[in-house]
Amino acid sequence: MREHHLSGKSRMPRTLPRFLRRAVLIAAALTCAFPAWADEYQLGTMDRLRIRVAEWQTAEGAVRDWSVVSGEYTVGPSGALSLPFIGDLPAAGKTTTEVGEAIGEKMQTLFGLRDRPSASVELAQYRPVYLAGEVQKPGEYPFAPNLTVLKAVSLGGGLRRSESGQRFARDYINAHGDSSVQTSERNRLLIRRARLQAEIAEKDGIELPKDLQGVPGIDKLLANETALMASRDRKQKLQLESLADLKSLLESEIQSLAKKTETQNRQLELVVEDREKVESLAEKGLALSQRKLSLEQRVAELQAALLDIDTASLKAKQDVSKAGQDETNLRNDWDAQLAQDLQNTEAELDTLSIKLGTSRDLMAEALLQSAEAAQSKDNTAEATIAYSIMRERDGKPTEISADENTPVLPGDVIKVEANLATQ
């Protein structure tokens, strides 16, 4: 086990007031917040977790890193995690927060620790989803947040293509599904770009792009990006305020040291004056050598104290300069990250525009084929698509009716039935 100490190179200075050390710890914890949905998600078999365990040792004022327990683990078929020293720990049906608390309690009991270790548990990989039925490539696929039935079917290559004259309908549905996914992704990227542009320009709000005005569901995307923008702004302000408070504290310390220097100088002047008087009396044989020696020692002590004060003042001034440099670096890093994110978003939009153009070309071709087939048969052919989800509830599989926009959860089996009905 390795020990890591807080702040600076090795340890948080003990000379800092207790309330300031506590404020530093709270500020550090705020930067590690998890998304709200992760706290409610119930784990299941094949979920992969990333676990980090650390222990705050009150007596030593240090953090112990339990690296032997930290790592990535998969929830097994029994619904348990197998951890070193701890053994099997039930995880199925629990949230990451509950698992983290259970790990801390188990380790404190097992090792007889005075302070309970803190376990950070986050999802490294969700359990997969499965596609079955009329899809191009049935099978197992990795889960991602905000996955819907339509997106899952697109992962499997869209609906299965037939070799008969019905193929035009399948081609159109497949291309239409791809286009819907790409359009949704493009809308999300456009909102992200608007948010980044607002942050770079230091605006209070996000201006909705003209291309997205009146688009259904765009208000939710705008609200999400606005909330993200506010959260990022609060985080930066908190970091800047922490540096400003540190600079203020150091400047107060410098002023205090300056006053102390002034007091010490006055005392030194008085002692030097007294020493000179004693030396004058000693030359006339009217003063004791012991008195003279005592004054010499006092002068030396005051001079050493003044040197210590000057050293402390210089160190505080250096810390003020470093805090100012840290503030500058923070602002520069923030601006550089915004510029990089905007550049990446622009590149993603360019790639997506090409894919969206291809999907629309395929849809136009399928529609042309459909018109020719309809003229030859003197009737209309349309595709009938039915979706359903097999989901485990209370340990039992349950079939749920679904449509293209139904949210998919980890472990779901998506069944797709497609056929052509002639009218």
Side-chain angles (χ1 to χ4, degrees), residues 134 160-173 366 369-370 373 377 381-383 418-422:
E134 295 296 319
R160 179 175 297 163
R161 300 172 182 268
S162 65
E163 298 301 329
S164 64
Q166 299 173 352
R167 180 174 179 176
F168 70 87
R170 303 292 176 88
D171 287 347
Y172 178 82
I173 295 171
Q369 295 173 350
S370 175
K377 294 183 179 180
E382 59 179 0
N419 51 66
L420 288 177
T422 303

Side-chain angles (χ1 to χ4, degrees), residues 1 53-55 57 64-70 73 83-87 102-119:
M1 290 174 287
V53 183
E55 173 195 357
Q57 297 176 313
R64 173 180 293 172
D65 183 9
W66 288 83
S67 58
V68 70
V69 180
S70 301
Y73 301 90
L83 304 176
F85 297 111
I86 297 177
I103 292 174
E105 293 173 358
K106 191 76 172 180
M107 291 184 64
Q108 185 179 28
T109 302
L110 182 63
F111 295 105
L113 301 175
R114 176 181 177 183
D115 299 292
R116 180 181 298 175
S118 175

